[in-house]
Every structure is written in C-alpha cells, then in structure tokens.
Amino acid sequence: MTRALRVAALHAVLVAAAALTLAPLVWMLAASFAPAGGADDLVASFARRGATLAHYRTLFGQLDLARTLANSAGLAAAATAIAVSVNGMAGYAFAKLRFAGRDRIFRGLLATLVIPGQIGMLPLFLLLKELGLVNTYAGVLVPSLASVFGIFLVRQYALSIPQSLLDAARVDGAGELRIFAQVVLPLLRPILVTLAIFTFLGTWNDFLWPLVILTDDRLYTLPVALANLLGEHVQDVELMMAGAVVTVAPVVLLFAALQRQYVRGIVTTGLRE
Amino acid sequence: MRDSRAAWIFVAPALGAIAAFLFVPVLASLALSFTDFDLYAVADLGNLRAIGAGNYEALLGDPLFWRALRNTFFFAFLGGPLSVAVSLGAALLVNARLVRARGTFRTLLFLPVVTTLVAVAVVWRYLYHPRVGLVNGVLGWLGVAPVDWLGDPRWALPALVVMSVWKGFGANMVIFVAGLQSIPARLYEAASLDGAGAWQQLRHVTLPQLAPTAFFVALLTMIGSLQLFAEPYVMTQGGPSNATLSVVLLMFQEGFRYWNMGYAAAIAFVLFAILLAGTALQLRLRGRSAA
C-alpha cells in the first residue's frame, strides 16, 4: 500500500469511529427539535414538518426546568468551591507542612480510596435524617465536602513546590495562611482548576445520592428530574431528548472549554470522578 | 512548632468531613448489617434488634441476590475487557503519526465520558427501541432482523454493556494515549533497524510496553462496573424478569424503597468485599508486572 493510501484509510476509519461515537448525541440533539412523533423518522419529519422549539418551551414553561437547571448549577458550583478550598488546603499541608503522623494519616486516607460511596450511604442517610438535612441542598453537598481523591491530586502536585520559596516567605515573617494565599495558591492554580472541573462534573452528573436524599421535586437536580420525567413522559421521545440536551449541554460546553486540564486529571489518577 | 499547629488547621476540615461522612457511616453500615433495621426501626429505634449474621444467611438463600450478583459479574467481565479492547484500538488510531488533527479526533471520541449518565441512558433507551430505534434501523440495512434489545432477557444486559462501553471508553483511551507517548522512541528505532514492519512493531514493542497500563485500565473499569446502577434504573428498572438487576440496584430497592436497611447494608458489605478482592488482585498484578 502506498503512503497516501494508508493515510486515507486511517482517516476513513477514524471518521467512521467518530461518527459512530457521536451518533447518539447527534440523534439526541436532532430529535429534540423534531415535532411530536417526528423522532421515529427524523429525516422525513424535518423535510415535511420542519423544526420546532416546542419541547424546550414545554420544559421551561409548564415543567419549570429552569428551576431544576438552577439547582444543578448552584449545587455543582457550591460543591466545587467547597471541595477546592478544603482539599486544596489539606493537599498542600500533606505535601509541604510537618505535623505528627502526617505520612501515616495520608497512607490511611489512600487506603480508603477503595471504599465506594454506596457502602456508607444507608447510615449517612439516617444520620442526615437525625440532623434534619434530608431533602435539603446541604444534604446533597455533604458527601462532596472533602475527597481523598482531591487531596491526593493536590498533594502530588504540591510536592513540586520548592521548599526554599516557603522558607523565604517564613523568614520574611509571613504567617502560614498568608503564605498559602499569596505564594502557594498561585502555584497550585493549574491543579486546582483540574480539581474544580472534576468536582463540578461529578456533582452535576451524580445520580444515586441526590435521588436518595431529595424527595421534593422543587429541589431535584437535572438527572433526578430527568429520570422522574421519564416515568410520566416515556412516550414523548422528543420532549425527553430536549430534557437530555439541557442536562448534557452545559457539561459538554464546560469540557470543551477546559479539556486539557480535565484530561490531565484522568491521566494522573486513572479516576473519573 | 507553629508549623505544626497551622498544619492541623489546614487538614482539620478535610479530615473532619471524611471522618464524619465516610468513616463513621461505613462502620455504622457494618453494624447495621448485623441488625434487623427496617421500617419499624425507622419510626422507633426501640424496635431494633441485633440478629448476628442473620442478614448474611438470608442473602445466601435469596435467589434475587444471586441473580443480581451474576448480572453484575457478567456486566463487569464482559464490559471490562471489551472497553479495554475498544479504547486500545481508539488510542492506537488517534495516536498514529500519519493522522492529522489528532487532538480533534481525541476530543470527539472522548466526548461521551463527560456526558451525564442518566441523560445518555435515556437517549439509548430510545436508540434501542425495537420498532423505530436507530440501532435496529442501522442493523436493518445490514439485513439483521429487529431485536427487542431491552425487552428480551437475553439481550438486555449485553445492550447495557454496549452502552456503557460507548460511555466510558474515551477515559481509558486517554490513559492509553499517555502510555503510548511514554514508550521510548529508541525501542521503535531499534526494531526498525532490525527490519520490523509496522505490524511487528505493534506486536513486539507497543503491546508488551502497554501491558501494565492495560491491566490497570481493565481492573479500574471492572471495579467501576461492579457499581452498576443508573443504567438499569433508567433503562430497564432491573427487568425484564430481573435480567439487568444489579447489586447496587438491589441495595437501593431494599434500603430506600422497602426500608430493609439492615438487609441492604449486608448487600453493601458483600459488594465491598468483592471490590476489595478486586483491588487486592490489581495491586498484586501491578506489583508483579513492575518486578
């Protein structure tokens, strides 16, 4: 085979693979603009009846999806702010500050990475019930306050901060908090961005815990609302696809903007969320 | 030791949250699994009794639990290797030197990873529709008779496997790409001096060098697969006739639908034991491949 032929074949395979991968998402997007019943045969439907925004109008009008969207965005943003500060400080301390038992505690934390969140879910629910946090935003956020994954990610990165930089600041009489805010934070910025994307996407996409802890549909996040909507509107394919687009589009756009940082997180840890 | 006091202030919020919302619940869950905690105990803790290993004994005799366990293992042991094969193939393609716009292809193939699982599960539910679904439409062109993917107990679980490979292979692909890029160029130079063609280089240089990555990715994927929940919840509700009932779905139903929390905690701990065994296996294999 000549080189040109090989290049062409390689690209043909890649284009086919990309088309296959994107087909479900493209179909979702197209079906969301089709008139009711049009998803059965999209091409014929668009040719005869054109496109419509009716399903998005129904979602944001009658079904109050704007509220759900705001719930998801607010919760994901809050979880991100909390996780970045809590794990950022802890990760830095485990890398660069000295305290009794530091390495033992860190190894202990790493061991807990094997514990999936579902294991403690039942007692956590009962605990939050006692605290009156069932069916509250705070209840949704509780499991994402701190994560071993986040601490690990930041620590590995913080190890590379030169000790001399910190010592110089101490000699100048700066307190530890000021050193953290003025010297360390700017250096940690790239990894904190990675952690922020992971936390935001993880919270946005999370399903099981919000499903357990939220009972009032006014507090639902998008995935819970979508699963719930399916119960009543399973026949309304086009409406469901519009709901799926509203749920998926924000995270896809966020990823498109910050993909380099996101991929770095996966490659360093092998974890997704 | 002002250093040390400051350090504790830095780690206290994280350690406090992890202790209160991870350690304590996990230990409580273990304790819970030895009680008959049910709806009556939710109402009044006075109704709670310790029943020793009663829940675990009941589990062993529960055909639904065995069904869930078998389904979950099937899902993990079919999906794990399949995902590794697909993501390795994709990584080799997007990393090939002859390819232009590699970054774009990588991004496109990666896209399903960031999508919301529940949303794409809803999408695939319709793609698998027996009469008008896109999957049967495409297979129809190829002359394959329509299959009721999610309604046929034989096909429902494999259908979930395909969907979840689609959703997850991009993450494994980028790990493989990183692995490919860390293979020293001199190995390929040496191979090509010895007269090895592209195919032989793949077999004798690339694949052996990637073996540790492949182990890592396979076990990671399998461990993730053992936690299967949202796909059957959204697409099949565990049906048809429990063909897609997973361990976590069973735990959810027992714990949060019927409030048999003691029983559900026992299910959670069996899953935990399996995950622990899987991780131990992973560490041993990694230890061996590093040696």
Side-chain angles (χ1 to χ4, degrees):
Chain A
M1 228 182 333
T2 68
R3 189 188 152 90
L5 208 61
R6 280 224 312 267
V7 171
L10 202 56
H11 283 82
V13 174
L14 264 171
V15 168
L20 207 60
T21 306
L22 295 181
L25 299 175
V26 172
W27 184 81
M28 163 186 80
L29 192 63
S32 79
F33 294 114
D40 289 3
D41 190 344
L42 282 174
V43 178
S45 162
F46 282 128
R48 270 209 315 274
R49 297 158 68 197
T52 173
L53 286 173
H55 312 300
Y56 291 94
R57 275 195 217 104
T58 311
L59 285 176
F60 285 98
Q62 215 174 315
L63 295 168
D64 204 13
L65 205 69
R67 191 191 170 88
T68 315
L69 187 65
N71 287 341
S72 272
L75 282 168
T80 305
I82 297 169
V84 167
S85 11
V86 169
N87 298 319
M89 289 178 74
Y92 161 66
F94 275 113
K96 285 288 161 186
L97 299 179
R98 278 185 302 274
F99 55 98
R102 179 184 77 177
D103 295 339
R104 261 209 329 272
I105 298 174
F106 185 69
R107 276 199 303 275
L109 285 180
L110 279 189
T112 67
L113 271 175
V114 299
I115 307 178
Q118 298 96 332
I119 304 301
M121 200 168 264
L122 303 146
L124 187 59
F125 174 83
L126 296 172
L127 173 71
L128 294 188
K129 190 166 156 284
E130 286 306 307
L131 297 174
L133 292 178
V134 168
N135 200 33
T136 63
Y137 292 133
V140 181
L141 290 176
V142 155
S144 48
L145 292 179
S147 78
V148 177
F149 161 77
I151 296 172
F152 175 71
L153 196 66
V154 175
R155 176 189 178 262
Q156 297 314 95
Y157 195 88
L159 285 174
S160 65
I161 297 176
Q163 189 63 40
S164 55
L165 219 59
L166 305 175
D167 291 338
R170 284 185 192 124
V171 169
D172 289 345
E176 290 299 328
L177 274 175
R178 223 183 101 202
I179 296 177
F180 181 72
Q182 296 186 346
V183 179
V184 176
L185 268 188
L187 295 173
L188 288 184
R189 226 186 81 104
I191 202 65
L192 294 182
V193 172
T194 300
L195 177 61
I197 309 167
F198 264 73
T199 313
F200 193 94
L201 291 189
T203 312
W204 183 280
N205 291 341
D206 193 18
F207 179 54
L208 180 50
W209 180 247
L211 178 71
V212 164
I213 203 78
L214 296 175
T215 51
D216 179 355
D217 57 15
R218 289 161 51 83
L219 299 188
Y220 279 177
T221 59
L222 282 166
V224 181
L226 202 62
N228 197 46
L229 202 63
L230 193 63
E232 299 156 42
H233 293 273
V234 70
Q235 301 303 329
D236 306 329
V237 186
E238 301 78 14
L239 178 78
M240 287 308 304
M241 288 308 100
V245 170
V246 173
T247 307
V248 166
V251 280
V252 167
L253 294 177
L254 184 72
F255 163 72
L258 295 166
Q259 56 163 309
R260 210 159 39 87
Q261 287 86 341
Y262 181 83
V263 168
R264 174 172 55 207
I266 291 193
V267 172
T268 13
T269 64
L271 298 174
R272 271 143 243 192
E273 261 151 38
Chain B
M1 286 300 277
R2 90 185 173 140
D3 207 28
S4 161
R5 224 193 60 211
W8 281 108
I9 296 173
F10 276 74
V11 296
L15 292 185
I18 290 171
F21 304 124
L22 182 68
F23 283 173
V24 172
V26 166
L27 291 178
S29 189
L30 186 60
L32 199 59
S33 73
F34 294 110
T35 71
D36 67 347
F37 200 112
D38 58 10
L39 194 54
Y40 300 104
V42 175
D44 178 5
L45 276 178
N47 291 323
L48 186 67
R49 281 179 313 144
I51 54 166
N55 286 322
Y56 292 95
E57 280 164 27
L59 266 186
L60 293 180
D62 183 352
L64 217 51
F65 171 71
W66 287 108
R67 188 67 201 265
L69 203 58
R70 216 176 66 210
N71 289 341
T72 307
F73 274 123
F74 179 91
F75 182 82
F77 287 102
L78 183 63
L82 198 59
S83 175
V84 171
V86 171
S87 49
L88 178 59
L92 288 171
L93 277 174
V94 294
N95 200 54
R97 261 167 310 162
L98 298 176
V99 171
R100 302 173 63 111
R102 289 192 220 174
T104 307
F105 281 117
R106 206 178 56 191
T107 304
L108 292 178
L109 294 179
F110 187 81
L111 212 52
V113 176
V114 298
T115 58
T116 310
L117 181 53
V118 169
V120 293
V122 172
V123 174
W124 277 80
R125 207 184 135 127
Y126 294 114
L127 295 180
Y128 279 135
H129 191 283
R131 196 170 44 81
V132 293
L134 202 59
V135 173
N136 275 347
V138 171
L139 290 176
W141 284 340
L142 304 172
V144 179
V147 176
D148 186 1
W149 297 103
L150 299 177
D152 184 333
R154 279 173 311 167
W155 287 112
L157 199 51
L160 296 198
V161 169
V162 169
M163 184 253 154
S164 101
V165 168
W166 170 82
K167 170 85 172 75
F169 81 90
N172 294 338
M173 176 189 75
V174 296
I175 298 177
F176 273 128
V177 168
L180 283 172
Q181 289 173 350
S182 70
I183 299 176
R186 62 182 162 75
L187 292 182
Y188 291 106
E189 286 156 19
S192 110
L193 280 180
D194 289 344
W199 177 246
Q200 281 168 320
Q201 288 187 18
L202 175 69
R203 255 198 70 197
H204 297 290
V205 179
T206 309
L207 293 184
Q209 289 283 316
L210 278 184
T213 313
F215 265 133
F216 176 65
V217 161
L219 276 143
L220 221 58
T221 309
M222 278 195 240
I223 287 169
S225 308
L226 291 173
Q227 301 171 41
L228 173 69
F229 172 76
E231 295 93 328
Y233 183 93
V234 171
M235 295 167 75
T236 56
Q237 292 86 48
S241 51
N242 297 318
T244 57
L245 181 70
S246 72
V247 174
V248 176
L249 183 57
L250 183 66
M251 180 200 91
F252 173 82
Q253 287 174 348
E254 288 291 345
F256 294 108
R257 196 159 290 163
Y258 311 125
W259 302 104
N260 293 325
M261 290 206 148
Y263 195 59
I267 298 175
F269 260 86
V270 173
L271 177 71
F272 186 26
I274 294 168
L275 286 168
L276 218 54
T279 310
L281 182 71
Q282 172 191 356
L283 292 177
R284 271 194 60 182
L285 290 172
R286 276 177 82 189
R288 193 179 302 163
S289 62

